[in-house]
Amino acid sequence: MLVGVPREIKNREYRVGLTPDSVREFVAHGHEVMVERDAGAGVGYTDGDYERAGARIAADPKEVYAAAELVVKVKEPQAEERRLLRPDQILFTYLHLAPDPEQTHDLVASGAVCIAYETVTDEHGGLPLLAPMSQVAGRLAVQAGAHCLEKVRGGAGVLLGGVPGVRAARVVVIGGGVVGENAITMAIGLGADVVVLDRKVDVLRRLASHFGPALTTIYATRQSLEDQVLDADLVIGAVLVTGAEAPKLVDRDMVTRMRPGSVLVDVAIDQGGCFETSHPTTHDEPTYTVDDVVHYCVANMPGAVPRTSTLALNNVTLPYALALADKGFPRALAEDAYLLDGLNVCRGRVTYRAVAEELGYDFLPPREALKG
């Protein structure tokens, strides 16, 4: 199979779909790899690195998309990239379709086979291709939030960990999954006063056991959520409903009543955001202010640390991408129910239930799609 790796074009997105090491694995399996010129430059990989691994270098994205049977990316294809997709071409990347009707429309119209990293599952019900980026984003959320609390950034002028004789900042993490746990790790490490809210007692029990008395765990109700948000210096939104739009847990009224100079970091922004006042921002202009509350809603947070993120992502995506190339998508998906969960769009049909329901498409079960 001919595998294509285009250069990412989303704002400040420096990650790359395959590293030279990953390219070498594809070549060893008998596949051809075409990498767009400078695709790995943001991570420190030269075109020569890719050529030594066995790849051919393409001059532009049109050459990659025209030739590739399997396209391996990092972020969702932008509008100009979606126009290059063709029927039966396999696209393997993050998609986050539920809050993105324009992208969904274009992918359906393309006739391509679109497999989303973020909905591939494992035998434990986890999301193995989302987890490493959730780890990165959770840790970055605390760094970004601490930065935004500085007065020159619009914050209240609070040092996250405080100093002797001055209280530490209060950090409230909404959601105790992978993002939440990594945010808690960083916040506690910096000396903050940390609270986590979740609606799963098992999650709270696990976090309490892991972090001990350094972490306050609270069962999430409307009242407890409101109480904690209004008392917070930094709130990190770390909720996820797999494949669906994130619930709006902090409404506009709550934001209005927060302390001036407090900060919201919405890690769920790729799925529409969990704060009512959230809208996507970029690394160039990462924040905005609503009612004196600073909002950080960068939609590709891990892109800020592209080398760490690329290596972590390739560690988990490579076996699945190789399976798609070795077997072809019908057989690879038919033999792996967990990879099949990643199929979101197939040959003009929406094959992920949450996306179909959110955006008003007829749902075609993925196994039915494979029969076509």
Side-chain angles (χ1 to χ4, degrees):
M1 186 175 285
L2 200 159
V3 180
V5 183
R7 182 174 60 84
E8 299 292 325
I9 61 173
K10 189 165 185 171
N11 176 269
R12 297 292 184 180
E13 183 51 74
Y14 301 109
R15 290 173 288 180
V16 63
L18 294 178
T19 66
D21 283 355
S22 294
V23 167
R24 187 174 178 182
E25 293 296 318
F26 276 95
V27 172
H29 280 237
H31 305 295
E32 297 179 71
V33 182
M34 179 182 289
V35 178
E36 186 181 347
R37 183 174 55 199
D38 293 332
V43 191
Y45 297 128
T46 67
D47 291 344
D49 293 331
Y50 282 104
E51 288 177 316
R52 284 187 289 274
R56 287 190 285 138
I57 303 301
D60 56 41
K62 291 181 179 179
E63 186 178 353
V64 174
Y65 282 94
E69 299 164 83
L70 167 63
V71 175
V72 180
K73 282 178 42 59
V74 177
K75 290 304 293 179
E76 72 280 359
Q78 304 301 290
E80 56 264 49
E81 295 175 297
R82 300 195 293 267
R83 288 192 286 270
L84 300 176
L85 292 168
R86 64 178 192 273
D88 285 341
Q89 191 170 45
I90 307 166
L91 174 66
F92 193 35
T93 188
Y94 288 116
L95 293 175
H96 301 290
L97 294 180
D100 194 344
E102 291 184 5
Q103 183 194 177
T104 305
H105 172 272
D106 290 350
L107 295 185
V108 168
S110 74
V113 177
C114 306
I115 303 168
Y117 293 161
E118 73 274 8
T119 63
V120 173
T121 60
D122 62 24
E123 63 270 25
H124 306 295
L127 303 171
L129 307 192
L130 186 61
M133 295 305 94
S134 295
Q135 292 167 341
V136 171
R139 292 171 182 244
L140 279 174
V142 176
Q143 291 184 193
H147 192 52
C148 292
L149 279 170
E150 297 172 10
K151 190 68 175 179
V152 294
R153 306 296 172 186
V158 174
L159 181 64
L160 202 69
V163 294
V166 180
R167 78 170 185 88
R170 190 169 183 81
V171 177
V172 172
V173 180
I174 306 173
V178 178
V179 170
E181 183 171 354
N182 280 270
I184 292 164
T185 298
M186 289 292 285
I188 288 177
L190 290 171
D193 175 17
V194 186
V195 176
V196 63
L197 297 108
D198 202 287
R199 301 200 73 170
K200 296 179 181 177
V201 175
D202 286 347
V203 169
L204 297 176
R205 186 180 295 116
R206 174 179 56 80
L207 293 172
S209 175
H210 180 71
F211 292 103
L215 175 67
T216 299
T217 60
I218 295 178
Y219 184 80
T221 64
R222 287 177 175 82
Q223 188 62 54
S224 66
L225 178 67
E226 181 175 327
D227 291 343
Q228 296 304 317
V229 166
L230 296 184
D231 192 37
D233 297 294
L234 167 61
V235 179
I236 295 173
V239 298
L240 173 69
V241 179
T242 306
E245 189 164 4
K248 300 293 186 286
L249 299 178
V250 176
D251 61 23
R252 175 62 183 267
D253 176 66
M254 213 181 297
V255 172
T256 300
R257 291 183 287 138
M258 291 177 70
R259 287 198 294 266
S262 52
V263 174
L264 296 173
V265 177
D266 198 340
V267 187
I269 195 65
D270 275 327
Q271 293 292 133
C274 60
F275 309 135
E276 187 178 5
T277 47
S278 292
H279 63 74
T281 61
T282 67
H283 289 291
D284 283 343
E285 297 183 30
T287 64
Y288 60 92
T289 301
V290 176
D291 293 325
D292 295 321
V293 175
V294 179
H295 291 57
Y296 181 98
C297 304
V298 174
N300 59 327
M301 287 178 64
V305 286
R307 189 167 185 90
T308 296
S309 297
T310 293
L311 292 169
L313 185 59
N314 270 242
N315 288 344
V316 293
T317 57
L318 179 60
Y320 296 94
L322 282 171
L324 290 167
D326 289 345
K327 301 176 181 179
F329 87 87
R331 181 181 159 203
L333 298 183
E335 292 181 357
D336 186 342
Y338 305 116
L339 181 56
L340 182 62
D341 286 338
L343 187 63
N344 278 219
V345 175
C346 185
R347 294 167 169 161
R349 301 292 300 274
V350 174
T351 53
Y352 197 82
R353 185 181 296 277
V355 173
E357 292 176 351
E358 194 75 48
L359 298 180
Y361 286 87
D362 291 333
F363 169 64
L364 178 67
R367 287 207 177 275
E368 293 296 315
L370 294 184
K371 295 177 182 178

